[in-house]
């Protein structure tokens, strides 16, 4: 369609572009510029070139952050996706009981992060938490889930999994219901039992859904902030300081705006690379994607 | 090839007001192609699904070559089915689709490849083996579905309206191909359709179904020439049979101003349904005399449909629209009066209340045709 007045499309785009410019693009450039300065928000900023980047790299802080964030992401993606698929397969049945379970599991996704974090702090409390009480009653050893640097990150990752699995389950349910029942029936008549029907029919049909769930879980894991802020504040011994939390800490706790900006730029480049990878995967996936047969 | 015996098979879907299938008894002989035909909702597809094991009957027995099938899962029944929507696996190539049932049965790669090639050759799919189902036309997909069914030589083939998603020309072509392929394989098959031409051409025998029951079971000729009920008469034949409800008094039917003597041996009190096929109606000049005992009216031509080989002439009797099929072209202007006549031998009589056939109108003709005295 050709616009009657050539400027019309741009006028229509203007509001969104203005918002994008003000809240995404301009801050990004601002961050890129500030990353070259040493600045504590109070005194005059001092130009240090790539000094902030150099100190991040040489202190090992950057490597630690990247490793920790990716590790956290890996746990969230693998467990969230697997559990979501397993629950979808188990609960993809008619009946009110199953509908209740589906609703109950999804409800965790709707609850706010802060509420979830507080709930799990209570459940995992080392002295009087539900888990500790039950473990003591059974005579099992107790563990300070959030107080031990070896278990804190995994614990927070599993809390994240608990919260987002309901969403993964719902997306997988939609994917399962999009598979025509006649495919399963044909496979059964072709001699495939339940497991082989899953392997040869369900799983290949769910590949695009799996890619989608994995991507959204990864994004959710990289955005993790509220849960860490409430549950551990990045500790103990920085063991739960992930990228976003580290940026927050540098600005608002340590007042090192330049270093925080440098972290932001690195994080941005990392995410850009990941997005590119995902887009590429999505396109190749789409090219060979199993499509619904339409009757001729 | 196996024989299938069904006894007292019933099925009521949960929550349904009435039974989908009411105590079906049916025997399909080895190498026989039996067509299940009937209107939507008559239970024909349900019967097929019960045989396949995709649904469980409420009661009755199903035996394939003497082996009871109740409780046997579909994958252990040795039954192949061609679905209405083909149900091809979208992520597999044609080769993988056809080879899938062999792979599931542990047939080795080399033997599988050979059998797939053979089936593909039989169906003219040789050049399409590496394509995905989405890259195929409707007719090609249909052939792949057939290939997947025939590749492992099952005990019985089930066809669930396999041609209903195709256009008319392709349907005609594939109908012939399926019929000849089934005969070549000497296959036992159940073929569900709502298309009466398919039913007549594909089947060795036809079971006409209605409301979960088999209304009539017989060869295409028996079912067409001697329909057991007025429903069967109305279901088979194009254009459909014309039916008139008539009053019967003193051995005569009062048919739209005519007194027609009832056939010998037929006793009816009250009302009956008189039916005749448009192909059995003869059309002549209005001043031509009709033979003694023939059904005969002088009517006005209301419309004509010249189809080339034949022409359908529309007229009405006592406000009821009727048709006659005459060979070739028929020159008549609208409102022109003609005489329509029907040989009493070609009339079908049914009980007005039950719809059951009252006399074997075609019995003598059929006996002649079969060379019996």
């Amino acid at each position: 369609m050709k616009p009657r007045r050539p400027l019309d499309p741009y006028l229509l785009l203007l509001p969104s572009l203005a918002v994008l410019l003000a809240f995404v693009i301009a801050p990004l450039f601002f961050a890129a510029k500030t990353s070259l300065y040493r600045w504590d928000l109070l005194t005059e900023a001092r130009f240090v070139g790539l000094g902030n980047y150099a100190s991040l790299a040489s202190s090992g802080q950057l490597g630690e952050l990247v490793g920790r964030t990716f590790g956290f992401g890996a746990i969230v993606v693998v467990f969230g996706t697997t559990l979501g698929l397993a629950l979808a397969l188990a609960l993809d049945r008619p009946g009110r009981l199953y509908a209740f379970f589906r609703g109950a599991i999804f409800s965790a996704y709707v609850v706010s992060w802060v509420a979830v974090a507080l709930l799990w702090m209570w459940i995992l409390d080392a002295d009087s938490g539900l888990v500790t009480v039950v473990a003591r009653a059974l005579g099992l050893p107790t563990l300070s889930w959030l107080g031990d640097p070896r278990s804190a990150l995994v614990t927070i990752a599993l809390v994240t999994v608990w919260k987002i699995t309901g969403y993964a389950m719902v997306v997988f349910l939609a994917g399962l219901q999009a598979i025509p029942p006649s495919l399963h029936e044909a496979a059964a008549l072709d001699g495939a039992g339940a497991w082989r029907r899953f392997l040869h029919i369900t799983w290949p049909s769910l590949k695009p859904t799996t890619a989608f769930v994995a991507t959204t879980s990864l994004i959710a894991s990289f955005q993790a902030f509220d849960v860490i802020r409430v549950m551990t504040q990045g500790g103990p011994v920085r063991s739960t300081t992930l990228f976003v939390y580290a940026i927050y800490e540098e600005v608002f706790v340590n007042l090192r705006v330049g270093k925080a900006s440098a972290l932001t730029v690195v994080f941005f480049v990392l995410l850009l690379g990941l997005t590119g990878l995902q887009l590429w995967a999505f396109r190749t996936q789409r090219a060979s994607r199993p499509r619904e047969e339409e009757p001729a | 090839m196996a024989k299938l015996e069904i006894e007292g098979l019933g099925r009521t879907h949960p929550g349904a007001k009435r039974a989908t299938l009411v105590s079906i008894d049916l025997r399909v002989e080895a190498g026989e192609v039996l067509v299940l035909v009937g209107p939507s909702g008559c239970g024909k597809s349900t019967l097929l699904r019960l045989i396949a094991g995709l649904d469980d009957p409420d009661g009755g027995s199903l035996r394939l070559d003497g082996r009871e099938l109740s409780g046997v899962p579909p994958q252990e029944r040795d039954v192949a089915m061609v679905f209405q929507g083909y149900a091809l696996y979208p992520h597999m190539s044609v080769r993988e689709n056809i080879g899938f049932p062999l792979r599931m049965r542990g047939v080795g790669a080399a033997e599988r490849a050979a059998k797939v090639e053979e089936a593909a050759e039989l169906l003219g799919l040789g050049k399409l083996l590496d394509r995905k189902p989405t890259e195929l036309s409707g007719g090609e997909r249909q052939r792949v579905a057939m290939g997947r069914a025939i590749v492992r030589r099952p005990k019985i083939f089930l066809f669930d309206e396999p041609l209903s998603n195709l256009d008319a020309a392709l349907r005609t072509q594939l109908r012939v191909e399926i019929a000849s392929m089934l005969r070549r394989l000497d296959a036992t098959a159940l073929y569900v359709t709502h298309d009466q031409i398919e039913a007549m051409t594909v089947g060795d025998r036809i079971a006409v179904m209605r409301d979960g029951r088999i209304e009539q079971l017989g060869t295409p000729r028996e079912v067409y020439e001697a329909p057991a009920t007025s429903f069967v008469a109305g279901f088979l034949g194009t254009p459909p049979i014309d039916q008139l409800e008539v009053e019967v008094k003193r051995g005569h039917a009062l048919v739209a101003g005519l007194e027609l003597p009832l056939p010998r041996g037929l006793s009816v009190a009250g009302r009956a349904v008189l039916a005749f096929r448009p192909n059995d109606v003869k059309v002549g000049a209005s001043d031509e005399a009709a033979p003694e005992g023939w059904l005969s009216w002088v009517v006005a031509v209301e419309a004509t449909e010249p189809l080339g080989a034949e022409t359908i002439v529309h007229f009405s009797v006592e406000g009821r629209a009727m048709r006659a099929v005459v060979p070739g072209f028929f020159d008549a202007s609208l409102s022109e009066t003609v005489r329509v006549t029907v040989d009493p031998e070609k009339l079908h009589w049914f009980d007005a209340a039950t719809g059951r056939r009252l006399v074997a109108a075609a019995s003598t003709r059929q006996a002649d045709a079969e060379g019996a005295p």
Side-chain angles (χ1 to χ4, degrees), chain B residues 109-138:
Chain B
E111 191 187 345
R112 200 161 73 214
K115 284 192 167 168
V116 169
E117 294 279 346
E118 189 191 348
E121 203 55 48
L122 189 69
L123 291 158
L125 290 169
K127 291 197 178 105
L128 306 175
L129 280 173
D130 294 313
R131 297 226 191 137
K132 289 273 172 71
T134 45
E135 299 165 315
L136 302 176
S137 71

mmCIF file of all heavy atoms in Angstrom, chain B residues 109-138:
data_model
loop_
_atom_site.group_PDB
_atom_site.id
_atom_site.type_symbol
_atom_site.label_atom_id
_atom_site.label_comp_id
_atom_site.label_asym_id
_atom_site.label_seq_id
_atom_site.Cartn_x
_atom_site.Cartn_y
_atom_site.Cartn_z
ATOM 1 N N ALA B 109 16.616 -52.068 7.678
ATOM 2 C CA ALA B 109 16.662 -50.938 6.759
ATOM 3 C C ALA B 109 16.612 -51.369 5.288
ATOM 4 O O ALA B 109 15.893 -50.779 4.479
ATOM 5 C CB ALA B 109 17.902 -50.102 7.031
ATOM 6 N N ALA B 110 17.352 -52.408 4.941
ATOM 7 C CA ALA B 110 17.434 -52.814 3.533
ATOM 8 C C ALA B 110 16.088 -53.348 3.044
ATOM 9 O O ALA B 110 15.588 -52.957 1.981
ATOM 10 C CB ALA B 110 18.521 -53.887 3.378
ATOM 11 N N GLU B 111 15.492 -54.202 3.854
ATOM 12 C CA GLU B 111 14.205 -54.785 3.475
ATOM 13 C C GLU B 111 13.131 -53.703 3.416
ATOM 14 O O GLU B 111 12.275 -53.682 2.527
ATOM 15 C CB GLU B 111 13.810 -55.854 4.509
ATOM 16 C CG GLU B 111 12.628 -56.692 4.058
ATOM 17 C CD GLU B 111 12.143 -57.625 5.165
ATOM 18 O OE1 GLU B 111 12.869 -57.819 6.153
ATOM 19 O OE2 GLU B 111 11.015 -58.129 5.025
ATOM 20 N N ARG B 112 13.253 -52.770 4.377
ATOM 21 C CA ARG B 112 12.292 -51.672 4.438
ATOM 22 C C ARG B 112 12.374 -50.846 3.156
ATOM 23 O O ARG B 112 11.361 -50.544 2.530
ATOM 24 C CB ARG B 112 12.647 -50.804 5.643
ATOM 25 C CG ARG B 112 11.520 -49.945 6.121
ATOM 26 C CD ARG B 112 11.787 -49.502 7.539
ATOM 27 N NE ARG B 112 12.824 -48.497 7.625
ATOM 28 C CZ ARG B 112 13.691 -48.389 8.621
ATOM 29 N NH1 ARG B 112 13.655 -49.237 9.612
ATOM 30 N NH2 ARG B 112 14.590 -47.439 8.631
ATOM 31 N N ALA B 113 13.595 -50.496 2.769
ATOM 32 C CA ALA B 113 13.786 -49.670 1.575
ATOM 33 C C ALA B 113 13.162 -50.355 0.359
ATOM 34 O O ALA B 113 12.483 -49.726 -0.452
ATOM 35 C CB ALA B 113 15.269 -49.413 1.362
ATOM 36 N N ALA B 114 13.398 -51.667 0.254
ATOM 37 C CA ALA B 114 12.883 -52.409 -0.898
ATOM 38 C C ALA B 114 11.359 -52.396 -0.908
ATOM 39 O O ALA B 114 10.729 -52.178 -1.954
ATOM 40 C CB ALA B 114 13.400 -53.840 -0.852
ATOM 41 N N LYS B 115 10.757 -52.602 0.265
ATOM 42 C CA LYS B 115 9.293 -52.646 0.332
ATOM 43 C C LYS B 115 8.681 -51.274 0.064
ATOM 44 O O LYS B 115 7.619 -51.167 -0.548
ATOM 45 C CB LYS B 115 8.854 -53.172 1.702
ATOM 46 C CG LYS B 115 9.037 -54.665 1.816
ATOM 47 C CD LYS B 115 8.344 -55.234 3.021
ATOM 48 C CE LYS B 115 8.278 -56.753 2.908
ATOM 49 N NZ LYS B 115 7.882 -57.383 4.146
ATOM 50 N N VAL B 116 9.357 -50.231 0.553
ATOM 51 C CA VAL B 116 8.856 -48.866 0.313
ATOM 52 C C VAL B 116 8.900 -48.573 -1.187
ATOM 53 O O VAL B 116 7.947 -48.048 -1.758
ATOM 54 C CB VAL B 116 9.678 -47.833 1.116
ATOM 55 C CG1 VAL B 116 9.352 -46.423 0.672
ATOM 56 C CG2 VAL B 116 9.414 -47.986 2.601
ATOM 57 N N GLU B 117 10.008 -48.952 -1.819
ATOM 58 C CA GLU B 117 10.146 -48.735 -3.260
ATOM 59 C C GLU B 117 9.028 -49.459 -4.015
ATOM 60 O O GLU B 117 8.421 -48.915 -4.931
ATOM 61 C CB GLU B 117 11.499 -49.276 -3.764
ATOM 62 C CG GLU B 117 12.714 -48.546 -3.243
ATOM 63 C CD GLU B 117 13.000 -47.252 -3.996
ATOM 64 O OE1 GLU B 117 12.422 -47.064 -5.087
ATOM 65 O OE2 GLU B 117 13.778 -46.424 -3.480
ATOM 66 N N GLU B 118 8.763 -50.672 -3.581
ATOM 67 C CA GLU B 118 7.751 -51.494 -4.250
ATOM 68 C C GLU B 118 6.368 -50.855 -4.135
ATOM 69 O O GLU B 118 5.640 -50.721 -5.122
ATOM 70 C CB GLU B 118 7.753 -52.884 -3.589
ATOM 71 C CG GLU B 118 6.926 -53.929 -4.303
ATOM 72 C CD GLU B 118 6.766 -55.182 -3.435
ATOM 73 O OE1 GLU B 118 7.473 -55.296 -2.422
ATOM 74 O OE2 GLU B 118 5.925 -56.020 -3.772
ATOM 75 N N ALA B 119 6.034 -50.416 -2.914
ATOM 76 C CA ALA B 119 4.732 -49.783 -2.691
ATOM 77 C C ALA B 119 4.637 -48.478 -3.478
ATOM 78 O O ALA B 119 3.609 -48.168 -4.090
ATOM 79 C CB ALA B 119 4.518 -49.527 -1.208
ATOM 80 N N ALA B 120 5.744 -47.718 -3.475
ATOM 81 C CA ALA B 120 5.751 -46.431 -4.171
ATOM 82 C C ALA B 120 5.572 -46.642 -5.672
ATOM 83 O O ALA B 120 4.873 -45.882 -6.349
ATOM 84 C CB ALA B 120 7.062 -45.694 -3.884
ATOM 85 N N GLU B 121 6.203 -47.703 -6.160
ATOM 86 C CA GLU B 121 6.100 -48.031 -7.587
ATOM 87 C C GLU B 121 4.642 -48.339 -7.947
ATOM 88 O O GLU B 121 4.093 -47.827 -8.928
ATOM 89 C CB GLU B 121 6.983 -49.247 -7.872
ATOM 90 C CG GLU B 121 7.431 -49.386 -9.300
ATOM 91 C CD GLU B 121 8.127 -48.134 -9.803
ATOM 92 O OE1 GLU B 121 9.027 -47.604 -9.108
ATOM 93 O OE2 GLU B 121 7.729 -47.666 -10.891
ATOM 94 N N LEU B 122 4.006 -49.123 -7.087
ATOM 95 C CA LEU B 122 2.624 -49.529 -7.301
ATOM 96 C C LEU B 122 1.688 -48.326 -7.350
ATOM 97 O O LEU B 122 0.692 -48.317 -8.068
ATOM 98 C CB LEU B 122 2.212 -50.470 -6.158
ATOM 99 C CG LEU B 122 0.878 -51.185 -6.272
ATOM 100 C CD1 LEU B 122 0.924 -52.222 -7.378
ATOM 101 C CD2 LEU B 122 0.536 -51.858 -4.944
ATOM 102 N N LEU B 123 2.039 -47.286 -6.583
ATOM 103 C CA LEU B 123 1.149 -46.139 -6.465
ATOM 104 C C LEU B 123 1.627 -44.943 -7.294
ATOM 105 O O LEU B 123 1.050 -43.859 -7.214
ATOM 106 C CB LEU B 123 1.049 -45.717 -4.994
ATOM 107 C CG LEU B 123 0.312 -46.710 -4.107
ATOM 108 C CD1 LEU B 123 0.693 -46.527 -2.664
ATOM 109 C CD2 LEU B 123 -1.188 -46.557 -4.271
ATOM 110 N N GLY B 124 2.702 -45.141 -8.065
ATOM 111 C CA GLY B 124 3.205 -44.043 -8.885
ATOM 112 C C GLY B 124 3.808 -42.915 -8.060
ATOM 113 O O GLY B 124 3.689 -41.744 -8.402
ATOM 114 N N LEU B 125 4.455 -43.261 -6.933
ATOM 115 C CA LEU B 125 5.033 -42.231 -6.069
ATOM 116 C C LEU B 125 6.550 -42.196 -6.166
ATOM 117 O O LEU B 125 7.206 -41.497 -5.397
ATOM 118 C CB LEU B 125 4.641 -42.504 -4.612
ATOM 119 C CG LEU B 125 3.181 -42.293 -4.242
ATOM 120 C CD1 LEU B 125 2.909 -42.855 -2.854
ATOM 121 C CD2 LEU B 125 2.821 -40.827 -4.287
ATOM 122 N N GLY B 126 7.104 -42.977 -7.101
ATOM 123 C CA GLY B 126 8.554 -43.153 -7.181
ATOM 124 C C GLY B 126 9.361 -41.871 -7.112
ATOM 125 O O GLY B 126 10.381 -41.804 -6.436
ATOM 126 N N LYS B 127 8.873 -40.818 -7.782
ATOM 127 C CA LYS B 127 9.681 -39.588 -7.851
ATOM 128 C C LYS B 127 9.476 -38.681 -6.647
ATOM 129 O O LYS B 127 10.140 -37.670 -6.496
ATOM 130 C CB LYS B 127 9.299 -38.814 -9.114
ATOM 131 C CG LYS B 127 9.738 -39.518 -10.389
ATOM 132 C CD LYS B 127 9.729 -38.542 -11.563
ATOM 133 C CE LYS B 127 10.224 -39.240 -12.819
ATOM 134 N NZ LYS B 127 9.133 -39.546 -13.738
ATOM 135 N N LEU B 128 8.529 -39.022 -5.791
ATOM 136 C CA LEU B 128 8.172 -38.108 -4.700
ATOM 137 C C LEU B 128 8.704 -38.558 -3.351
ATOM 138 O O LEU B 128 8.422 -37.952 -2.329
ATOM 139 C CB LEU B 128 6.640 -37.986 -4.608
ATOM 140 C CG LEU B 128 5.920 -37.581 -5.882
ATOM 141 C CD1 LEU B 128 4.414 -37.620 -5.686
ATOM 142 C CD2 LEU B 128 6.339 -36.181 -6.299
ATOM 143 N N LEU B 129 9.526 -39.631 -3.355
ATOM 144 C CA LEU B 129 9.892 -40.266 -2.088
ATOM 145 C C LEU B 129 10.598 -39.348 -1.102
ATOM 146 O O LEU B 129 10.524 -39.547 0.102
ATOM 147 C CB LEU B 129 10.746 -41.506 -2.355
ATOM 148 C CG LEU B 129 9.931 -42.739 -2.773
ATOM 149 C CD1 LEU B 129 10.841 -43.880 -3.184
ATOM 150 C CD2 LEU B 129 9.018 -43.180 -1.649
ATOM 151 N N ASP B 130 11.320 -38.343 -1.611
ATOM 152 C CA ASP B 130 12.075 -37.491 -0.684
ATOM 153 C C ASP B 130 11.347 -36.209 -0.323
ATOM 154 O O ASP B 130 11.897 -35.334 0.336
ATOM 155 C CB ASP B 130 13.453 -37.192 -1.268
ATOM 156 C CG ASP B 130 14.272 -38.472 -1.355
ATOM 157 O OD1 ASP B 130 14.290 -39.208 -0.348
ATOM 158 O OD2 ASP B 130 14.850 -38.760 -2.427
ATOM 159 N N ARG B 131 10.108 -36.068 -0.798
ATOM 160 C CA ARG B 131 9.356 -34.858 -0.464
ATOM 161 C C ARG B 131 8.680 -34.993 0.892
ATOM 162 O O ARG B 131 8.449 -36.081 1.388
ATOM 163 C CB ARG B 131 8.273 -34.614 -1.514
ATOM 164 C CG ARG B 131 8.833 -34.355 -2.874
ATOM 165 C CD ARG B 131 8.157 -33.171 -3.496
ATOM 166 N NE ARG B 131 8.514 -33.096 -4.891
ATOM 167 C CZ ARG B 131 7.647 -32.833 -5.857
ATOM 168 N NH1 ARG B 131 6.382 -32.628 -5.553
ATOM 169 N NH2 ARG B 131 8.043 -32.750 -7.095
ATOM 170 N N LYS B 132 8.334 -33.826 1.444
ATOM 171 C CA LYS B 132 7.546 -33.784 2.680
ATOM 172 C C LYS B 132 6.062 -33.693 2.303
ATOM 173 O O LYS B 132 5.738 -33.182 1.220
ATOM 174 C CB LYS B 132 7.933 -32.548 3.505
ATOM 175 C CG LYS B 132 9.323 -32.640 4.130
ATOM 176 C CD LYS B 132 9.259 -33.339 5.472
ATOM 177 C CE LYS B 132 10.622 -33.639 6.044
ATOM 178 N NZ LYS B 132 11.326 -32.448 6.503
ATOM 179 N N PRO B 133 5.182 -34.163 3.161
ATOM 180 C CA PRO B 133 3.751 -34.132 2.827
ATOM 181 C C PRO B 133 3.239 -32.752 2.394
ATOM 182 O O PRO B 133 2.370 -32.655 1.542
ATOM 183 C CB PRO B 133 3.075 -34.560 4.138
ATOM 184 C CG PRO B 133 4.081 -35.421 4.796
ATOM 185 C CD PRO B 133 5.417 -34.841 4.441
ATOM 186 N N THR B 134 3.799 -31.682 2.985
ATOM 187 C CA THR B 134 3.308 -30.340 2.628
ATOM 188 C C THR B 134 3.637 -29.983 1.187
ATOM 189 O O THR B 134 3.072 -29.055 0.636
ATOM 190 C CB THR B 134 3.936 -29.267 3.531
ATOM 191 O OG1 THR B 134 5.311 -29.531 3.641
ATOM 192 C CG2 THR B 134 3.290 -29.251 4.893
ATOM 193 N N GLU B 135 4.588 -30.710 0.589
ATOM 194 C CA GLU B 135 4.967 -30.407 -0.794
ATOM 195 C C GLU B 135 4.183 -31.249 -1.802
ATOM 196 O O GLU B 135 4.541 -31.287 -2.967
ATOM 197 C CB GLU B 135 6.470 -30.662 -0.978
ATOM 198 C CG GLU B 135 7.335 -29.798 -0.092
ATOM 199 C CD GLU B 135 8.774 -30.291 -0.005
ATOM 200 O OE1 GLU B 135 8.978 -31.501 0.164
ATOM 201 O OE2 GLU B 135 9.665 -29.447 -0.102
ATOM 202 N N LEU B 136 3.156 -31.939 -1.321
ATOM 203 C CA LEU B 136 2.392 -32.823 -2.203
ATOM 204 C C LEU B 136 0.987 -32.275 -2.444
ATOM 205 O O LEU B 136 0.452 -31.539 -1.622
ATOM 206 C CB LEU B 136 2.260 -34.214 -1.574
ATOM 207 C CG LEU B 136 3.541 -34.957 -1.225
ATOM 208 C CD1 LEU B 136 3.203 -36.262 -0.526
ATOM 209 C CD2 LEU B 136 4.369 -35.229 -2.464
ATOM 210 N N SER B 137 0.399 -32.656 -3.560
ATOM 211 C CA SER B 137 -0.993 -32.300 -3.825
ATOM 212 C C SER B 137 -1.908 -33.246 -3.044
ATOM 213 O O SER B 137 -1.450 -34.246 -2.500
ATOM 214 C CB SER B 137 -1.268 -32.427 -5.314
ATOM 215 O OG SER B 137 -1.280 -33.793 -5.676
ATOM 216 N N GLY B 138 -3.184 -32.909 -3.020
ATOM 217 C CA GLY B 138 -4.143 -33.739 -2.278
ATOM 218 C C GLY B 138 -4.137 -35.187 -2.746
ATOM 219 O O GLY B 138 -4.116 -36.115 -1.942
#
